[in-house]
Amino acid sequence: MIRGMTVESADAPTKILLDEREMPRRWYNLIPDLPAPPPPVLHPGTLQPVGPDDLAPLFPMALIAQEVTPDRFVDIPEDVLDVYRLWRPSPLIRARRLERALGTPARIYYKYEGVSPAGSHKPNTAVPQAYYNATAGVRRLTTETGAGQWGTALAFACAQFGLGCEIWQVRASYDRKPYRKLMIETFGATIHPSPSALTEAGRRVLAAHPDSPGSLGIAISEAVEVAAQHADTNYALGSVLNHVLLHQTIIGEEALLQFAKAGEQPDLIVGCTGGGSNFAGLAFPFLREKLAGRMAPTIRAVEPAACPSLTKGVYAYDFGDTAGMTPLMKMHTLGHDFIPDPIHAGGLRYHGMSPLLSHVYELGLIEAVAKTQRECFEAGVQFARTEGIVPAPEPTHALAACVEEALRCRETGEPKVILTALCGHGLLDLAAYGRILAGDMEDRELADEELATAMASLPTVPA
Ligand SMILES: Cc1ncc(COP(=O)(O)O)c(C=O)c1O
């Protein structure tokens, strides 16, 4: 035995697994359990709440219904469960080796979504979105992607249901991650760098900034524009909207069953937030339990200091995209014109935050912190060296917060139970690891002047 290591008893498993038959068959909708409903989504022309017909050019009715459903639970269609079974239930893993390396009395668990075909949590919503569009007779989906995880997930899901798929990838990530493009093409989808000359929205950005690194907001404008112009084409979004968060709750529902099996309850739940979907997916079922008085975890979102929508943005009505084509949503935002620095966590470079998660934050039900990328990647490297998984750049933010808390526990002696979302692997993000290993990764933090400039573009809406 290696000095300083102990062999854990077989009674304390490392992986807490569920059988396929134990996989939850319903998604959870937090809204009816909240003390106050979230503010409505507004039509930018009339400033009145949007109705189903306003959204029909982009989404099938089944998804529009899920966006506003008053039901606490939504049944997962059998065809979706069938595809989920390719990788779900996903494992809950106790990070004993990381705990030992940190010398902490904390018990750290991670829910690992990197086992999916795309390598992240994104197929949890890509599959139902493709399914509902296919059953509505749609022939093709368009979308944006940042890091490439969402684009890969939708390409995979469209292949499962015989749909065409066209993707705009943020230029900064497109250039850095050629293997994501190849993976997306292998699944049969078409991919363009954004901004592109293929759309009016892209041409407008290129005319003003020919070297634009792009942003999720611009890529959304391009994908929405193309979907709105073709009757057989719909748009799919990888985060932010209520139905996306709903689909992701399968993560937290599984984790609840796994914690019950382990005989534990989390004291702290941490997750990274770009648009909020993996975080909400893990946290919302636990929040239900907390609101019902059955457990009391602290729930903490972690965002990049270069794109801190929750911790530095304002809570206001704003567009979801750069060109201003989407409805107005009340959310924490840095302004729809904001182009975040090209940090390596491409999936966290979004100007806004999910309106539902923003509302939950305003209600004081979750906390938020921001972290710079070097601290995050250092936690990612430590995680890889101990647990053996190279994390995607996005969840290194959650891992950095996890390490911080575990070290605090080392000081106080508290044996806290920490649960984190390891929402993807980083095997196609190794260039970023190359930068941290070579010691030339920069920290970027949003300056107050940049924030003030971005805020100037907020639309005027009655308070
Ligand atoms: C691996 C990974 N994690 C997290 C995110 C951020 O999205 P969200 O906050 O919706 O989970 C992305 C987005 O692309 C991602 O690819």
Side-chain angles (χ1 to χ4, degrees):
M1 194 200 311
I2 299 170
R3 205 145 41 99
M5 288 181 84
T6 51
V7 174
E8 303 289 345
S9 94
D11 293 343
T14 299
K15 296 194 299 302
I16 298 121
L17 303 174
L18 297 175
D19 193 78
E20 274 178 23
R21 282 164 304 183
E22 295 172 287
M23 186 163 77
R25 303 179 71 86
R26 301 184 304 178
W27 296 301
Y28 168 60
N29 176 25
L30 175 68
I31 295 173
D33 286 334
L34 288 175
V41 172
L42 302 182
H43 189 288
T46 63
L47 298 185
Q48 292 303 306
V50 292
D53 291 345
D54 296 318
L55 300 174
L58 296 182
F59 301 109
M61 273 305 158
L63 290 176
I64 295 172
Q66 289 182 358
E67 195 59 26
V68 294
T69 181
D71 298 338
R72 294 180 77 229
F73 292 97
V74 175
D75 287 337
I76 306 176
E78 196 52 51
D79 286 339
V80 172
L81 288 170
D82 202 40
V83 184
Y84 275 180
R85 282 188 200 102
L86 289 173
W87 74 96
R88 304 212 71 86
S90 71
L92 178 73
I93 303 176
R94 170 94 181 265
R96 292 183 196 284
R97 284 150 207 278
L98 177 64
E99 290 169 16
R100 273 199 295 260
L102 296 170
T104 180
R107 299 196 289 285
I108 303 173
Y109 291 86
Y110 58 96
K111 179 74 170 149
Y112 186 41
E113 291 296 307
V115 292
S116 83
S120 75
H121 63 296
K122 297 286 181 182
N124 296 333
T125 183
V127 171
Q129 289 197 48
Y131 165 79
Y132 289 118
N133 274 290
T135 51
V138 170
R139 305 289 297 279
R140 178 174 68 141
L141 291 179
T142 63
T143 198
E144 75 295 332
T145 193
Q149 289 271 18
W150 165 243
T152 312
L154 195 69
F156 154 72
C158 285
Q160 293 296 313
F161 294 103
L163 292 174
C165 184
E166 191 162 0
I167 297 168
W168 277 261
Q169 183 171 22
V170 176
R171 171 110 242 168
S173 295
Y174 182 91
D175 291 341
R176 277 182 186 155
K177 301 186 183 189
Y179 293 111
R180 273 285 161 204
K181 169 177 184 285
L182 291 175
M183 194 169 173
I184 285 168
E185 287 173 342
T186 304
F187 281 131
T190 309
I191 177 164
H192 317 285
S194 167
S196 77
L198 298 167
T199 65
E200 185 53 43
R203 286 190 290 273
R204 220 178 302 144
V205 176
L206 285 174
H209 307 284
D211 297 327
S212 170
S215 70
L216 279 167
I218 298 169
I220 292 173
S221 297
E222 297 204 79
V224 166
E225 183 182 318
V226 172
Q229 285 167 349
H230 296 88
D232 66 348
T233 304
N234 266 356
Y235 166 70
L237 187 60
S239 188
V240 177
L241 298 178
N242 294 350
H243 67 266
V244 179
L245 273 52
L246 175 84
H247 300 154
Q248 292 294 354
T249 58
I250 182 113
I251 304 174
E253 292 297 342
E254 283 181 4
L256 273 172
L257 297 176
Q258 287 162 312
F259 266 89
K261 269 198 180 180
E264 295 261 44
Q265 283 198 358
D267 298 305
L268 173 68
I269 299 174
V270 282
C272 70
T273 44
S277 74
N278 88 86
F279 174 77
L282 179 67
F284 280 3
F286 286 89
L287 187 51
R288 170 186 73 224
E289 299 302 302
K290 184 173 178 174
L291 290 168
R294 289 189 283 267
M295 54 175 72
T298 299
I299 303 176
R300 186 173 299 153
V302 192
E303 58 184 12
C307 193
S309 54
L310 278 174
T311 53
K312 280 204 173 166
V314 291
Y315 184 48
Y317 272 101
D318 197 5
F319 293 107
D321 71 319
T322 302
M325 286 191 279
T326 69
L328 291 167
M329 298 176 286
K330 191 157 188 194
M331 60 184 175
H332 287 86
T333 177
L334 298 166
H336 61 278
D337 273 353
F338 178 64
I339 309 250
D341 273 336
I343 52 168
H344 291 277
L348 305 185
R349 290 180 65 236
Y350 183 59
H351 67 271
M353 182 51 62
S354 143
L356 180 53
L357 197 59
S358 295
H359 177 64
V360 166
Y361 183 56
E362 283 298 303
L363 290 172
L365 299 174
I366 61 165
E367 302 175 353
V369 294
K371 298 228 164 266
T372 50
Q373 63 177 352
R374 267 199 312 218
E375 179 187 353
C376 298
F377 272 91
E378 277 158 15
V381 169
Q382 184 170 32
F383 190 85
R385 289 181 185 173
T386 50
E387 293 299 313
I389 296 171
V390 179
E394 292 78 11
T396 63
H397 290 70
L399 290 173
C402 219
V403 167
E404 183 180 45
E405 189 72 24
L407 292 177
R408 212 175 280 145
C409 290
R410 187 171 74 186
E411 297 306 310
T412 62
E414 267 180 295
K416 270 195 188 172
V417 176
I418 303 174
L419 165 62
T420 190
L422 185 59
C423 54
H425 70 63
L427 296 182
L428 297 182
D429 304 286
L430 291 176
Y433 280 89
R435 296 291 291 272
I436 188 82
L437 295 176
D440 68 352
M441 184 177 280
E442 287 166 28
D443 271 344
R444 294 163 186 266
E445 242 173 290
L446 181 65
D448 289 343
E449 314 81 73
E450 290 175 272
L451 181 63
T453 314
M455 289 303 158
S457 70
L458 281 182
T460 319
V461 178

